[in-house]
Amino acid sequence: MSDAAYTLVMGDKAWSSWSLRAWLVMRRSGVAFGEEMVRLRQPSSRSALDAASPSGKVPVLCHGPVPLWDSLAIAEYMAEQAPGAHLWPQASAIRAHARAISAEMHSGFAALRQTLPMDFLARGVAVTLTEDTARDIARIAEIWTTARASAKGGGPYLFGGWSIADAMYAPVVSRFVTYSVALNGAARAYAETMMADADMQYWGAACRADAGG
């Protein structure tokens, strides 16, 4: 385990969408943290996950006596730990909107998760979209477009400045690139903003390093 006060236990960067969410929040919090990786899709993965996490899943944030094993719980915890980072929008109505779409991402879009699994480095992967997956894609584009309209020019992220909501949808952006999902208007511009984000670029470089490329 890392000697850092905060340690984030993650799965492989190329595949672990929930790890990406938590990692982005940690980066934006400004808090120094260590990283530990549990390799996925290996014969030893199940036992390693069970040893690392009460739920047998990653990510896990280790800070203090109780590990946090859920990405949204980690995000809320870091919003409390680093209030100056403004990880949620400051205006109460916008903050409520951001929390609502984050919770929807956390609990929904099962068809999209199944049909378009995250493979951060892959491009041009052909897939047949089911009706439910197409519905999920349309809903996500609607969420992004509505959020961007509420930002009113305050910045390029969902609610202007970067927030936990952007972390929650970051893996979806990467999925849309991997599977060449067509987007238009504000949704397309938002996806381009996220893929060009410095932390997303850093994550991609780490994926390539993990892959030996």
Side-chain angles (χ1 to χ4, degrees), residues 55-140:
S55 68
K57 297 178 181 178
V58 285
V60 180
L61 178 64
C62 300
H63 179 244
V66 179
L68 296 176
W69 60 89
D70 176 271
S71 293
L72 193 52
I74 291 169
E76 291 283 11
Y77 182 71
M78 293 311 301
E80 295 174 354
Q81 292 290 303
H86 304 302
L87 296 177
W88 288 117
Q90 293 183 270
S92 61
I94 301 299
R95 186 166 62 250
H97 186 175
R99 278 196 163 107
I101 67 168
S102 296
E104 185 173 355
M105 182 71 254
H106 188 262
S107 62
F109 305 114
L112 182 140
R113 299 178 200 279
Q114 181 174 5
T115 307
L116 310 178
M118 190 171 93
D119 190 343
F120 199 90
L121 296 180
R123 296 291 184 269
V125 178
V127 65
T128 300
L129 298 180
T130 67
E131 183 177 341
D132 287 342
T133 304
R135 186 179 299 110
D136 282 353
I137 291 169
R139 173 57 185 153
I140 288 167

Side-chain angles (χ1 to χ4, degrees), residues 2-10 26 31-36 61:
S2 167
D3 292 332
Y6 295 83
T7 298
L8 188 65
V9 183
M10 301 182 295
M26 296 303 296
V31 171
F33 67 101
E35 297 181 17
E36 298 285 343
L61 178 64

Side-chain angles (χ1 to χ4, degrees), residues 144 166 169-178 183 190-192 194-195 200:
W144 293 353
D166 296 292
Y169 283 89
V172 177
V173 172
S174 81
R175 285 171 158 102
F176 287 177
V177 173
T178 294
L183 298 168
Y190 172 68
E192 291 172 351
M194 284 299 294
M195 289 306 294
M200 290 283 278

